[in-house]
Amino acid sequence: MMTATAIPLEHLLIVASLLFLIGLTGVLIRRNVLFLLMSLEIMLNACGLAFVAAGARWTQADGQIMYMLVLAVAAAEVTIGLGLILQLQRRYRHLDIDAASELSG
Amino acid sequence: MELVLFYIAATVSVITTTLVISRTNATHALIYLIVSLLSIAVIFFLLGAPFAAALEILIYAGAIMVLFLFVVMMLNLGPAAAGQEARWLSPGTWIGPTILTFILFLEMLYVLTGMPEVTSAIAVPPKAVGEKLFGPYLLAVELSSILLLAALVGAYHFGRRYMRARREDSS
């Protein structure tokens, strides 16, 4: 079995929060739906990193279980999001998120 | 040694993630995102969570990123799309949000420093994860399976309409 090392929890949480905030910046600054989805994936992944780090700190399996649930949510979100991207591209011939304000029905 | 590896992997993941959100070409951004996910998998290994690391590579870097790549291929984005991205990504649009999120990061840094906790020296083996996953967390597993089923039905619904419209366009 692999032994874990004494990585400071605060450094792990700093990395996770930095990744989350980079993803948040991506959501704020991009207009392309494809990049928005990628930024959402980055944010979900940063949450997963924080969960696994906390699970390793207290040597509980709960952190990894929450990571798996986050993974399932990410997979579900990305399939629906990519389906919507294909519809958006077919309807408007571009991927501007502002075009989605006219979606209805 | 492991600490050095952790800092290298963390730096790589932060740099590549920054590159992901600043690219104009979607394929380049995806490749950088895969590198970022692989470095996070390295961090998981160092934390003593080998199963989470394997899942990160298999599901994130494998399945989800391949899904993204297929969609980028189907969208058939050319140099014109990259040019449009470059126009959308003017400094006036990204400086404000970047500064605001950087302020958020400084606040997180202030909160997180002064916590002398270290991750424990005992790894969490996959067996413990499995026992807990199919014991107390069985309901969560069932709920996530229902969520995935709903995503499957939704993706089929969107994709069927897309393929039918595509056939009508080509005929």
Side-chain angles (χ1 to χ4, degrees):
Chain A
M1 191 178 76
M2 214 178 134
T3 54
T5 53
I7 297 171
L9 180 63
E10 56 166 321
H11 292 184
L12 277 160
L13 290 179
I14 285 171
V15 170
S17 61
L18 193 55
L19 289 176
F20 185 88
L21 289 173
I22 291 172
L24 180 64
T25 316
V27 171
L28 290 174
I29 68 175
R30 300 306 296 241
R31 282 176 70 185
N32 190 327
V33 191
L34 199 63
F35 284 92
L36 290 184
L37 262 188
M38 277 190 232
S39 305
L40 284 177
E41 290 300 310
I42 293 169
M43 287 162 78
L44 281 172
N45 201 38
C47 292
L49 177 60
F51 272 123
V52 174
R57 162 65 186 79
W58 283 281
T59 54
Q60 292 293 314
D62 305 56
Q64 292 188 46
I65 288 165
M66 285 310 292
Y67 169 72
M68 279 173 217
L69 297 180
V70 168
L71 212 62
V73 170
E77 171 246 325
V78 88
T79 44
I80 299 293
L82 289 174
L84 281 172
I85 282 180
L86 288 178
Q87 289 290 322
L88 206 66
Q89 168 79 3
R90 194 181 73 71
R91 214 171 275 203
Y92 299 104
R93 302 283 164 205
H94 59 78
L95 291 176
D96 190 352
I97 187 71
D98 292 341
S101 62
E102 298 163 12
L103 279 182
S104 61
Chain B
M1 181 59 201
E2 285 89 348
L3 210 57
V4 176
L5 284 179
F6 164 69
Y7 289 124
I8 292 172
T11 316
V12 168
S13 73
V14 169
I15 290 173
T16 48
T17 312
T18 317
L19 287 170
V20 169
I21 64 159
S22 58
R23 291 305 90 185
T24 52
N25 188 323
T27 318
H28 295 177
L30 274 175
I31 304 293
Y32 278 124
L33 188 52
I34 290 174
V35 177
S36 161
L37 295 173
L38 290 181
S39 57
I40 291 174
V42 170
I43 295 178
F44 284 166
F45 260 118
L46 294 175
L47 281 174
F51 191 51
L55 278 181
E56 175 92 11
I57 293 175
L58 278 174
I59 296 181
Y60 257 116
I64 294 180
M65 289 303 118
V66 166
L67 212 60
F68 264 107
L69 269 181
F70 274 139
V71 168
V72 170
M73 281 187 230
M74 281 171 87
L75 293 178
N76 211 0
L77 302 168
Q84 192 179 35
E85 281 296 307
R87 275 198 304 283
W88 281 346
L89 208 62
S90 62
T93 55
W94 62 259
I95 279 179
T98 309
I99 290 173
L100 289 175
T101 47
F102 187 70
I103 291 170
L104 277 181
F105 173 65
L106 291 181
E107 283 182 3
M108 296 287 277
L109 209 60
Y110 176 72
V111 171
L112 289 175
T113 46
M115 272 171 52
E117 303 267 14
V118 292
T119 53
S120 168
I122 309 159
V124 181
K127 191 181 171 207
V129 179
E131 275 170 356
K132 217 159 194 180
L133 189 62
F134 291 102
Y137 283 97
L138 193 60
L139 188 63
V141 174
E142 297 293 338
L143 284 175
S144 65
S145 75
I146 291 173
L147 176 72
L148 288 174
L149 179 66
L152 176 70
V153 173
Y156 175 71
H157 176 68
F158 286 128
R160 195 185 52 162
R161 271 165 46 186
Y162 175 79
M163 292 313 286
R164 196 172 55 203
R166 225 173 128 145
R167 274 200 297 277
E168 282 164 5
D169 282 353
S170 59
S171 62

